[in-house]
Amino acid sequence: MHDPLPQIDLLELFQSRRTCYRFASSKDFPVAFHTLENCLEAARWAPNHKLTQPWRFWHLGTKSRTVLADIYAENRASKKSLDDSESYDCFYQKALEKFSAIPEIILVGQVLSENPVVQKEDYAACACAIQNFQLMAWNQSLGVQWSTGPILKDPRTYRLLGIDSDRIELIGALYIGHRDPDCSQPNAKRKPIEEILTRLD
Ligand SMILES: Cc1cc2nc3c(=O)[nH]c(=O)nc-3n(C[C@H](O)[C@H](O)[C@H](O)COP(=O)(O)O)c2cc1C
């Protein structure tokens, strides 16, 4: 028999984790790189069928963030200025500020198998990896927003990373920082087990 592992309350971790849309300022509360490494370490141990390990990660630095901020702001301003009276420039500026306030950004890509069955399973594996990442982040007082917004579809993002969209699909932008207390508590609800479980004889 192995010695019992020290108990951490996993259920409490799963239930308390929330998607974060606001972060503490990175000037006052910088994110130490080793905490991100811990998250990546958790991510790479996610289950994956046939050990395809389909996940790839990009941690953005100052230069790449500047390029991505422009892509983000352009996409957002184009969409918002269509159905609003405020001008494109105004939305662009606001979006730029919003993006710049995100302390750390990691993009996640899935290596695309040519086999559609493997591709589907690989997406599931990547989702497991992202959830491992998010839970490890939460356990270190960090919050994450998993975004699947338009920057992930934009060809300029693929050029920035130097990847071919036929071979790798971007499936998540992880926005990371120390948690602001307002971590979208309205989402802290789920259907009860009785509603989602069917017990068969
Ligand atoms: C596949 C996937 C895609 C998501 N995409 C977005 C997104 O584009 N923007 C966003 O704000 N949240 C996104 N989320 C986060 C969900 O909106 C969030 O998990 C949900 O509201 C439940 O909140 P909770 O994470 O706090 O429990 C995504 C989550 C998943 C699993």
Side-chain angles (χ1 to χ4, degrees):
M1 276 282 276
H2 292 293
D3 288 337
L5 291 169
Q7 295 291 300
I8 49 168
D9 192 338
L10 281 178
L11 190 57
E12 209 251 311
L13 175 63
F14 301 151
Q15 289 175 336
S16 63
R17 181 213 57 82
R18 294 273 71 77
T19 293
C20 282
Y21 298 96
R22 291 154 60 106
F23 303 102
S25 127
S26 56
K27 263 199 197 135
D28 299 337
F29 298 95
V31 176
F33 184 66
H34 75 89
T35 56
L36 294 180
E37 276 184 316
N38 290 339
C39 297
L40 291 166
E41 187 59 25
R44 77 188 182 94
W45 285 100
N48 60 106
H49 197 189
K50 306 222 166 90
L51 282 187
T52 53
Q53 302 177 72
W55 38 71
R56 297 291 182 272
F57 301 91
W58 292 264
H59 179 213
L60 302 191
T62 314
K63 265 194 195 166
S64 46
R65 276 183 68 120
T66 308
V67 178
L68 197 64
D70 176 55
I71 301 171
Y72 176 88
E74 264 193 23
N75 274 293
R76 213 169 150 91
S78 304
K79 183 165 177 269
K80 289 204 159 215
S81 56
L82 278 182
D83 41 34
D84 207 295
S85 55
E86 241 179 289
S87 74
Y88 176 94
D89 288 351
C90 192
F91 281 121
Y92 180 92
Q93 209 46 48
K94 275 188 193 164
L96 216 51
E97 279 162 28
K98 186 168 186 239
F99 197 81
S100 309
I102 301 167
E104 297 291 339
I105 300 171
I106 289 184
L107 300 184
V108 187
Q110 174 191 344
V111 177
L112 295 174
S113 164
E114 283 171 11
N115 178 331
V117 175
V118 176
Q119 202 176 110
K120 192 170 178 183
E121 291 192 337
D122 280 349
Y123 181 72
C126 286
C128 292
I130 292 174
Q131 179 64 348
N132 278 7
F133 184 109
Q134 297 197 102
L135 289 168
M136 184 55 101
W138 192 264
N139 206 34
Q140 299 175 106
S141 305
L142 298 174
V144 180
Q145 179 193 353
W146 174 358
S147 167
T148 44
I151 56 167
L152 300 183
K153 301 269 178 287
D154 195 306
R156 290 171 296 177
T157 310
Y158 286 81
R159 276 203 293 281
L160 171 69
L161 303 183
I163 57 174
D164 176 352
S165 58
D166 289 337
R167 302 185 58 153
I168 296 186
E169 182 177 354
L170 293 172
I171 58 161
L174 304 182
Y175 301 142
I176 307 153
H178 282 281
R179 305 195 297 252
D180 187 279
D182 172 30
C183 261
S184 70
Q185 291 305 319
N187 291 331
K189 59 188 173 202
R190 294 295 190 266
K191 289 177 182 162
I193 291 175
E194 308 84 72
E195 246 184 77
I196 56 168
L197 171 72
T198 306
R199 300 181 75 182
L200 303 177
D201 285 339

